[in-house]
Amino acid sequence: MSQTDTFYLPNLAGAPFRALLNQILAALSAQNSGSQEPKDPFAGMVWLDTSKKPPVFQMRNADNSGWVKIFTAETPPTKGQVGLGNVPNYGATSDLADGSENKLLLAKAGNTLQESKLAKNAQASDSAKLGGKPASTYAEKAGTYSNLRAQATTKADVGLGSVQNYGITDSINSNNSKQYLSAKGGYDLNQAKVNKTTTINGKPLSDNITLSAANVGAIPSSGGNLGGAINFTPDTGDIITLDGKSALRRITQGGGLSLGCAHTLILGCGESWKTLADNVSATAEETHIGSDTSAYIYTNLQTGWDARKGFEFQQDGGFLPPNIDKTRHNLSVYSTSETYSKGEVYKKSETYSRAEVDAEIPKSGYALLDFGTITTDERHVKDNPFGNNTPVQVIAECQYQGVWSAIPVVRIGHSGSSGVNALYVENEGIVVQTARQSLATNSNYQCNAFEDLDGYLHELPCRVHVWRLTPPSS
């Protein structure tokens, strides 16, 4: 390393002055070499950076804000780095007869050319000054001469005064107003054009044409018939809108749909939809479902028809809740004038009338309450979904290994009990009370649906079926 802390020489005594001067001269002769940049650099300072391998020769830029790499210590500078990047590395010649393309003319050759040339404004009086040719070989300033090429000749002189000096292109897509189209471009255009004798639905293209929706196989905006399905391909978005508001929307890529409207929505079959439309409020933001006969709602159909659970709103206003299976109990054959074996409905040996059947099947609304996970010795209360003092019928069920079952309360030993019970309590709501010792035990002891249970269960999911009770029809 050969650097100095300063290049300033103050007034010093002899020995200190000589020592500082030697230090400055050493730094200058060694190009301020060192692994760290010189202290207090200034514009134009050079520095041999020895922290690089090989060392790099750098110079401080003009505004003294950074270093500019010039070359490395082991690599000589290039001609570009010394400002001669465009100068070819050619030899030199003074011989005007040397036709080499990789040589440069010396000044002597230029002098020789100067001495032997004819000035552009000179006039020759004899052939000696005209390259040895007679004066008659050259033209005068005025006159007509055959085979004469002169810079003064214009395009008008040769009959091309209207022709512009434009370039030429093959591209039929160019919009340059100062280019000519080549024959190749004209050929390409001819190949790409549509013949004016071509027709669309019998109408030639030689004039403006008007096409109707029927001409192009489309449905007019006033309406029409479709011969096939319409496939809506976007993952989500509106399929049908009414006055700009969504009526039918795709909500998932798998085919999920949202059906709705801003005001009243009517779903019906037979004459019901028209009767509803004529009688309900169109702006009440309500949903009305109508049917000329019974209306059905089903669930649990993913595993097949036989696994269905459902409700039937009967034509006479009756309601068939999910715990009564109409097909299994042959309710479709009942009439008010006949009596039937209770075995046809509940597998009993008694007989009863249709009115008695109606009494067994209350016309009611239905709700399913989720009580979450419950444990022993607890009391849970939820609001009655049909009003706090509306009479309802309730059944509590718990789930074990995917099976839902009612769990009767039974006594275990002298002081224990097992089971879950649901009750309707006026002024309070729907109550679930659990037994003290367990929620469920062996099915043959408690009469539940958990066949594989051997022992006791103390924590289970719980739900309660709620049916609103109304007086039966006569």
Side-chain angles (χ1 to χ4, degrees):
M1 173 177 175
S2 182
Q3 294 181 351
T4 180
D5 291 340
T6 180
F7 283 90
Y8 172 70
L9 284 171
N11 291 325
L12 298 172
F17 178 85
R18 183 171 60 253
L20 179 56
L21 178 60
N22 287 336
Q23 180 178 325
I24 292 173
L25 292 174
L28 291 174
S29 63
Q31 311 298 327
N32 293 302
S33 63
S35 59
Q36 302 291 330
E37 66 176 58
K39 185 177 180 182
D40 298 327
F42 48 85
M45 174 184 279
V46 294
W47 168 37
L48 182 61
D49 183 1
T50 60
S51 66
K52 307 290 191 303
K53 299 298 181 184
V56 176
F57 192 66
Q58 304 191 70
M59 178 179 287
R60 195 70 173 178
N61 60 19
D63 57 3
N64 196 27
S65 61
W67 297 93
V68 179
K69 177 181 175 181
I70 303 176
F71 50 81
T72 65
E74 297 180 3
T75 304
T78 64
K79 62 181 183 178
Q81 291 173 324
V82 296
L84 297 175
N86 294 326
V87 179
N89 184 26
Y90 290 170
T93 180
S94 59
D95 185 2
L96 291 174
D98 190 338
S100 300
E101 295 181 355
N102 57 353
K103 288 184 181 180
L104 302 175
L105 281 177
L106 295 173
K108 181 179 179 182
N111 179 261
T112 301
L113 185 61
Q114 170 68 20
E115 292 297 326
S116 62
K117 76 178 180 65
L118 182 67
K120 64 181 180 180
N121 58 354
Q123 294 184 357
S125 58
D126 55 52
S127 62
K129 292 186 178 181
L130 295 174
K133 295 181 179 181
S136 61
T137 304
Y138 299 92
E140 296 180 1
K141 290 185 178 179
T144 300
Y145 304 95
S146 61
N147 301 321
L148 178 65
R149 298 180 64 186
Q151 290 182 346
T153 304
T154 67
K155 61 181 182 179
D157 293 335
V158 296
L160 296 174
S162 299
V163 179
Q164 299 297 323
N165 184 27
Y166 292 164
I168 190 169
T169 179
D170 294 337
S171 174
I172 62 175
N173 296 315
S174 173
N175 63 352
N176 193 331
S177 61
K178 293 185 178 182
Q179 277 187 320
Y180 293 115
L181 185 66
S182 69
K184 171 67 167 54
Y187 173 83
D188 292 341
L189 181 60
N190 184 59
Q191 294 299 310
K193 75 179 181 65
V194 177
N195 197 307
K196 67 180 182 180
T197 60
T198 301
T199 63
I200 296 179
N201 287 93
K203 300 179 180 182
L205 299 179
S206 56
D207 199 355
N208 293 333
I209 62 174
T210 301
L211 296 176
S212 67
N215 292 149
V216 295
I219 296 177
S221 60
S222 58
N225 297 321
L226 277 178
I230 297 177
N231 184 35
F232 185 76
T233 57
D235 292 348
T236 58
D238 290 339
I239 298 176
I240 298 175
T241 61
L242 300 176
D243 294 329
K245 297 179 180 180
S246 176
L248 183 62
R249 173 178 293 180
R250 186 174 183 176
I251 57 176
T252 66
Q253 186 176 11
L257 290 177
S258 170
L259 173 66
C261 58
H263 293 142
T264 296
L265 175 65
I266 294 174
L267 300 176
C269 60
E271 298 300 319
S272 299
W273 70 270
K274 187 176 184 303
T275 302
L276 286 170
D278 292 340
N279 290 279
V280 303
S281 172
T283 59
E285 298 185 9
E286 298 172 341
T287 298
H288 295 267
I289 301 175
S291 174
D292 286 3
T293 58
S294 294
Y296 300 87
I297 298 176
Y298 294 106
T299 185
N300 201 45
L301 294 170
Q302 68 273 17
T303 58
W305 180 251
D306 291 339
R308 68 191 183 280
K309 304 294 182 184
F311 301 89
E312 177 187 353
F313 295 91
Q314 297 170 308
Q315 188 176 7
D316 62 0
F319 175 73
L320 189 63
N323 60 329
I324 303 299
D325 189 326
K326 178 177 178 179
T327 302
R328 186 180 68 199
H329 298 315
N330 300 318
L331 295 183
S332 61
V333 301
Y334 292 161
S335 68
T336 57
S337 62
E338 301 177 50
T339 59
Y340 306 93
S341 164
K342 280 196 174 181
E344 292 180 284
V345 182
Y346 294 109
K347 306 305 180 185
K348 297 180 181 179
S349 58
E350 305 168 23
T351 61
Y352 59 112
S353 68
R354 173 58 187 265
E356 291 176 304
V357 173
D358 285 340
E360 295 289 333
I361 306 172
K363 294 175 174 60
S364 58
Y366 169 78
L368 184 63
L369 301 183
D370 182 4
F371 275 76
T373 300
I374 62 174
T375 186
T376 57
D377 199 16
E378 288 183 341
R379 189 175 191 271
H380 301 268
V381 180
K382 284 186 178 291
D383 290 339
N384 185 339
F386 302 108
N388 215 20
N389 292 317
T390 300
V392 292
Q393 176 183 346
V394 294
I395 297 177
E397 293 181 331
C398 289
Q399 186 185 45
Y400 173 64
Q401 293 186 345
V403 176
W404 287 96
S405 173
I407 308 176
V409 177
V410 297
R411 189 169 186 81
I412 299 177
H414 297 288
S415 60
S417 59
S418 177
V420 178
N421 193 24
L423 310 109
Y424 155 62
V425 180
E426 285 190 354
N427 298 319
E428 187 172 11
I430 309 303
V431 177
V432 169
Q433 177 64 55
T434 62
R436 177 173 296 181
Q437 184 169 339
S438 69
L439 300 182
T441 184
N442 305 51
S443 61
N444 59 357
Y445 182 78
Q446 196 174 33
C447 299
N448 58 47
F450 306 148
E451 297 182 35
D452 298 330
L453 177 59
D454 183 15
Y456 298 97
L457 298 176
H458 301 89
E459 187 176 84
L460 291 172
C462 176
R463 67 185 183 186
V464 175
H465 299 276
V466 183
W467 292 272
R468 181 177 58 196
L469 301 179
T470 58
S473 61
S474 57

